[in-house]
Amino acid sequence: GGGGGGASPSPTTNPCRMVLETTARVAASATHCVIDDAAVARVVAGMSVKTVAKLLGPREFNFEGFHFVEPADPDLTARYMLAVDAINFCFW
């Protein structure tokens, strides 16, 4: 999958690090959109330290109730997550 021709990541690679690295490559090659760093800085400057910490800090998986979770059937939850991740990945 992916067609990048690079080596497959090792099983010990941090998945979050992989997302950051692949997202950085996509953003670096983007030609139709840009991130306005000055605008981001202005928005963040207007936030309290508590708000920034809340946005950047760790959260439980379904803290806002957006994700399907079936406590009685963890396998169903895992299959759902796999399907959603596959759909999300196909747009990269």
Side-chain angles (χ1 to χ4, degrees):
S8 297
S10 72
T12 58
T13 301
N14 180 324
C16 292
R17 173 62 52 198
M18 289 174 54
V19 169
L20 289 172
E21 290 171 358
T22 57
T23 302
R25 285 197 307 265
V26 170
S29 64
T31 58
H32 297 291
C33 63
V34 296
I35 296 173
D36 184 340
D37 292 329
V40 172
R42 285 192 302 273
V43 169
V44 173
M47 295 178 174
S48 70
V49 171
K50 184 177 179 179
T51 298
V52 173
K54 182 179 177 183
L55 290 171
L56 297 178
R59 300 180 191 161
E60 65 183 69
F61 169 68
N62 195 31
F63 83 105
E64 290 182 335
F66 290 126
H67 298 95
F68 169 82
V69 177
E70 179 51 65
D73 190 351
D75 288 342
L76 180 60
T77 301
R79 289 191 305 270
Y80 166 80
M81 290 173 51
L82 178 62
V84 170
D85 283 349
I87 291 167
N88 284 336
F89 182 76
C90 77
F91 294 106
W92 287 65

